[in-house]
Amino acid sequence: MYKFCFHNPHSAPETVSFHIHIGHIPTEHDLAKDEHLDPINVKIAELREALESVTAEQKYLKARDTRHRHTNESTRKRVIGYTVGEYILLTLVSALQVIYIRQLFSKSVAYNRV
């Protein structure tokens, strides 16, 4: 029997993913002797292990891809928000500069007329 305990000290939700492979525990009478195994059964066992390894790697890569996609999406949203805010601020500052320059010239022309 296996028991897992996870603790998250932060209030943000976290995702934990893991894969556990537990094979059967052979008893003494289940163990085959080398002379009883033929080469085909040995190859089948090797292929099964290799297939399980590839399957586990695919599951890991899929979970990793999902995490990276989520990170990229959240980063993209922040970059777009920052860019829009930057353009709004740039437009506002430009408009204020135009207004300030116009007022400056209108005052100087008025002072020269007096």
Side-chain angles (χ1 to χ4, degrees), residues 39-59:
I40 294 175
N41 287 339
V42 172
K43 289 294 180 187
I44 290 173
E46 289 174 359
L47 287 173
R48 182 181 300 127
E49 286 295 321
L51 183 62
E52 287 176 359
S53 175
V54 168
T55 304
E57 185 72 18
Q58 283 178 336
K59 286 180 183 178

Side-chain angles (χ1 to χ4, degrees), residues 57-111:
E57 185 72 18
Q58 283 178 336
K59 286 180 183 178
Y60 166 73
L61 289 175
K62 189 173 182 178
R64 180 178 160 199
D65 182 54
T66 303
R67 286 192 311 269
H68 287 179
R69 186 178 299 118
H70 176 71
T71 302
N72 286 337
E73 288 295 320
S74 66
T75 302
R76 182 184 64 85
K77 288 177 185 177
R78 281 185 264 149
V79 167
I80 288 174
Y82 176 78
T83 304
V84 168
E86 188 177 15
Y87 281 131
I88 290 171
L89 185 64
L90 182 65
T91 305
L92 180 65
V93 168
S94 298
L96 289 176
Q97 285 178 346
V98 168
I99 292 170
Y100 180 72
I101 296 292
R102 283 186 180 174
Q103 285 179 351
L104 214 95
F105 281 118
S106 68
K107 288 181 183 177
S108 66
V109 171
Y111 287 132

Side-chain angles (χ1 to χ4, degrees), residues 14-53:
E14 294 287 336
T15 301
V16 177
S17 63
F18 56 91
H19 176 73
I20 298 174
H21 172 73
I22 302 172
H24 72 283
I25 301 172
T27 60
E28 195 170 310
H29 70 277
D30 289 336
L31 295 176
K33 308 291 186 245
D34 288 339
E35 61 267 16
H36 297 132
L37 297 176
D38 57 19
I40 294 175
N41 287 339
V42 172
K43 289 294 180 187
I44 290 173
E46 289 174 359
L47 287 173
R48 182 181 300 127
E49 286 295 321
L51 183 62
E52 287 176 359
S53 175

